[in-house]
Amino acid sequence: MLNLLEELLKPFSIFVYPQSLRKINEELYIFVAKINNTKNIGIIKQNQSIYFSNPYFSEDKKIEKTGFSVNIYPLNFENYQKLKEIIPINPKTCNKKISFGTGDRLGLVTSAQLSVLKDYNLFPILAQQSPRELIKTKRDFKDVLLKSVIGVLEIGYTDSYGADADHIKDEKYLMEAIDAGYTMYTLDISDFIERIENLTSKEIREKYEKISSFSKKIIEKYAGKKIKISNEEYFELSYDELCKSAIVYEKALSFVEMVYEILRSKLLEFDIEVSIDEGERDTTPEDHFFVVQFLHEKGIDFKSLAPKFPGEFQKGIDYIGDIKKFENELKKQYALTKALEGYRLSLHSGSDKFSIYKSFYKITEGNFHIKTSGTSWLEAVKTIARYSPDLFLELYHIALENLEESKKAYKVSITKEEFPKEIKEDYIEFLKKPNVRQLFHISYGVLLDEKREEIYEILNKNEKEHYQYVSENIRKHLKNLFEEE
């Protein structure tokens, strides 16, 4: 069937992704076709009443000697809804101990990511974007999901995958993600927490008096509780620290309650992740315990918690900090997950954090979620550096000129003064430098604003090489994580 299909479509300059051809039943096949740099779904049918909107051909084309006919359609949301009735292509909730989120800011490389993810015993979260990323890329939740779906089809992937509405802070984006059919909701409560760093002891006592009796009961019941790390080690929950945790998080957790009730009213299944990793405050054991116990006693079922670990998790580069200190704190955080049960730890800004992957896997006993996002975007930049040096140079100067604006959305420690005005080395080697990676990592918004067409043109023209870079990068992450040599 593939050879006959390719022969039929070749005169129309339509490329068929060979791995995408999927037999649904004796009278129905689907595939992915590329027309003018746009990926579409193809339907091959025989005696089937299946109708999608906006066909490429005004009449179905006959595949000679087969009795089948074919047409091609855009994967818009309307056609996606119809496609779900034919095959179970929609995202699902997580069903494995390990999940790994990739994200695809450009909507081009899901299949390249999956080519590696499918080789590991993990649950892939493919559509992973935050409102901040949607604004900067001028996309929406539906578009991100559809591009992931086309990638799933393109590579012929038939297992489950998830879709993460990342860093949800308000009801507007929550409802958009629900409407698009996302399965994971990462709730960022950083805007709702109380800041206590500069408060006096008297001010903290006054704040404590104002918290609810519900929170006070948790403190009174669990202060002094011992949490076992190992047969030889344990730690004790401090009364004073639990009081501070309640002050910091109580109001913020009402947002989680609200979202949970909305999700329960709209969806049969969903995964919630609670993110407390933003801001300057490292998550104390008491913070972790209070947040989890509060939610559990409210009857809120969440699947993962993202604490803020010591050290710095800056974008596009390895972990910065004392690894031993990180490991010691991770042991406490993981001990709490075992004591409280029902959820996993999540590592945010997890891309390129190779130096802590092995210990993270070992300490959590292979039970976690890791978020990566911008690392695949950097592989797109690498592709441009190799195949369009002039465009790469333009992007570099645009990124430099807009560095201060880009830094407003991301925590990085780079300054314009540390970058050369002229690049006097190989661009690929230049791009390996940590500060250069960070520069491009945070600059995707302005670069797409000014050079979107040129960026997509080069990446589409060199799709095979772009895919190879992305797959090699994801494989490097997973080899490190799964302790492969």
Side-chain angles (χ1 to χ4, degrees):
M1 181 65 78
L2 179 62
N3 290 338
L4 291 171
L5 179 64
E6 290 176 329
E7 186 178 336
L8 173 66
L9 297 179
K10 189 175 181 180
F12 302 97
S13 299
I14 297 174
F15 172 76
V16 176
Y17 289 91
Q19 288 181 285
S20 71
L21 186 62
R22 186 181 309 196
K23 183 178 180 180
I24 308 304
N25 57 48
E26 294 300 325
E27 297 183 341
L28 184 64
Y29 293 77
I30 62 170
F31 62 95
V32 174
K34 195 172 190 179
I35 306 173
N36 298 326
N37 290 332
T38 300
K39 296 173 185 176
N40 304 266
I41 52 170
I43 304 293
I44 303 172
K45 60 184 181 179
Q46 183 183 47
N47 303 320
Q48 293 271 324
S49 299
I50 299 172
Y51 301 99
F52 290 82
S53 64
N54 303 320
Y56 184 74
F57 299 115
S58 56
E59 294 184 2
D60 292 351
K61 297 291 182 182
K62 303 291 185 182
I63 303 178
E64 290 187 12
K65 303 176 184 178
T66 67
F68 284 88
S69 60
V70 62
N71 216 323
I72 297 170
Y73 310 85
L75 189 60
N76 53 34
F77 204 71
E78 177 188 353
N79 285 340
Y80 165 65
Q81 298 286 60
K82 294 177 181 177
L83 187 64
K84 287 193 299 180
E85 297 174 6
I86 300 173
I87 56 172
I89 194 63
N90 51 300
K92 304 291 193 300
T93 52
C94 182
N95 59 9
K96 293 187 177 181
K97 289 176 64 177
I98 296 175
S99 52
F100 193 89
T102 50
D104 180 8
R105 287 178 179 165
L106 300 177
L108 295 175
V109 293
T110 293
S111 63
Q113 294 167 340
L114 263 178
S115 69
V116 179
L117 293 169
K118 66 180 178 58
D119 294 337
Y120 290 83
N121 185 24
L122 55 77
F123 185 83
I125 308 288
L126 304 176
Q128 176 194 292
Q129 298 280 302
S130 66
R132 173 175 62 190
E133 290 167 323
L134 297 178
I135 292 167
K136 285 181 173 289
T137 57
K138 294 181 171 54
R139 302 175 71 193
D140 58 28
F141 281 122
K142 286 183 178 178
D143 180 67
V144 172
L145 178 61
L146 293 177
K147 295 301 191 298
S148 294
V149 169
I150 207 80
V152 169
L153 293 170
E154 178 187 329
I155 199 171
Y157 182 75
T158 56
D159 210 341
S160 299
Y161 71 95
D164 180 9
D166 196 13
H167 284 286
I168 294 296
K169 295 184 178 185
D170 59 46
E171 194 171 343
K172 173 184 179 293
Y173 282 104
L174 172 67
M175 297 308 295
E176 289 180 11
I178 291 172
D179 188 45
Y182 278 60
T183 53
M184 178 176 176
Y185 297 82
T186 299
L187 310 186
D188 180 352
I189 62 175
S190 59
D191 287 353
F192 308 102
I193 66 173
E194 286 281 336
R195 312 288 174 180
I196 65 169
E197 297 85 10
N198 300 318
L199 297 184
T200 64
S201 297
K202 180 184 177 183
E203 289 170 328
I204 288 176
R205 284 195 300 272
E206 289 172 351
K207 291 259 185 199
Y208 173 75
E209 292 304 319
K210 295 178 182 177
I211 67 172
S212 69
S213 59
F214 183 87
S215 292
K216 288 178 180 176
K217 286 179 182 177
I218 292 175
I219 295 168
E220 295 297 331
K221 184 176 180 180
Y222 294 105
K225 179 179 175 66
K226 294 180 179 180
I227 305 295
K228 178 181 175 181
I229 297 177
S230 67
N231 290 333
E232 297 80 29
E233 293 179 277
Y234 70 89
F235 62 91
E236 190 172 295
L237 297 174
S238 158
Y239 177 86
D240 289 342
E241 290 300 318
L242 276 175
C243 290
K244 291 177 183 177
S245 301
I247 294 167
V248 170
Y249 290 107
E250 184 185 61
K251 290 180 182 177
L253 295 176
S254 64
F255 173 69
V256 180
E257 287 186 79
M258 179 199 75
V259 171
Y260 183 69
E261 291 306 318
I262 291 173
L263 288 169
R264 274 210 316 173
S265 70
K266 301 285 185 181
L267 302 173
L268 293 175
E269 289 186 304
F270 54 87
D271 292 333
I272 284 180
E273 175 163 298
V274 179
S275 167
I276 56 175
D277 72 306
E278 297 290 327
E280 299 301 318
R281 180 183 175 88
D282 287 351
T283 302
T284 66
E286 288 81 7
D287 289 343
H288 181 148
F289 185 91
F290 177 80
V291 167
V292 171
Q293 194 62 34
F294 185 101
L295 295 175
H296 279 178
E297 292 195 15
K298 289 284 187 178
I300 295 171
D301 180 24
F302 65 98
K303 296 297 176 65
S304 49
L305 179 79
K308 185 179 186 301
F309 295 105
E312 295 187 32
F313 291 79
Q314 294 190 23
K315 304 296 183 180
I317 60 173
D318 206 342
Y319 173 76
I320 301 172
D322 185 331
I323 292 178
K324 284 296 181 186
K325 184 178 180 181
F326 166 78
E327 289 174 346
N328 288 336
E329 289 303 309
L330 175 59
K331 287 176 183 177
K332 293 178 184 178
Q333 302 288 348
Y334 183 62
L336 284 164
T337 69
K338 291 202 290 186
L340 297 170
E341 298 182 338
Y343 63 101
R344 303 170 299 156
L345 288 180
S346 181
L347 186 68
H348 283 198
S349 297
S351 59
D352 308 290
K353 304 301 182 287
F354 302 119
S355 64
I356 60 171
Y357 269 4
K358 288 182 174 61
S359 57
F360 189 72
Y361 189 107
K362 183 177 179 181
I363 292 169
T364 63
E365 300 177 300
N367 189 30
F368 57 81
H369 176 59
I370 288 183
K371 283 183 189 283
T372 69
S373 159
T375 189
S376 288
W377 153 249
L378 289 175
E379 299 309 305
V381 177
K382 185 193 290 186
T383 307
I384 294 167
R386 179 177 177 183
Y387 293 100
S388 183
D390 290 344
L391 177 58
F392 175 79
L393 198 57
E394 286 186 75
L395 297 181
Y396 173 65
H397 289 300
I398 293 169
L400 269 186
E401 287 304 310
N402 292 273
L403 176 56
E404 291 308 311
E405 184 64 29
S406 298
K407 282 169 65 175
K408 291 178 182 178
Y410 294 99
K411 183 182 177 182
V412 293
S413 54
I414 55 177
T415 61
K416 185 176 179 181
E417 290 70 30
E418 66 192 75
F419 293 93
K421 292 182 179 178
E422 294 183 20
I423 305 173
K424 297 182 179 179
E425 59 187 291
D426 178 79
Y427 290 170
I428 299 290
E429 291 302 311
F430 182 66
L431 190 54
K432 291 178 181 178
K433 296 181 176 182
N435 62 343
V436 179
R437 287 179 63 81
Q438 289 197 307
L439 172 67
F440 278 101
H441 194 292
I442 68 172
S443 300
Y444 62 95
V446 66
L447 298 181
L448 288 171
D449 283 344
E450 297 198 24
K451 294 291 179 179
R452 179 181 297 268
E453 289 186 12
E454 294 91 332
I455 289 170
Y456 275 87
E457 181 182 354
I458 292 299
L459 296 177
N460 277 305
K461 184 178 178 181
N462 299 281
E463 183 177 80
K464 182 180 178 181
E465 294 79 9
H466 183 201
Y467 279 13
Q468 184 175 347
Y469 279 144
V470 169
S471 60
E472 287 173 354
N473 180 48
I474 297 297
R475 191 171 297 282
K476 181 180 179 182
H477 281 73
L478 296 177
K479 278 186 174 182
N480 275 271
L481 185 61
F482 285 84
E483 299 190 85
E484 296 180 21
E485 295 300 327

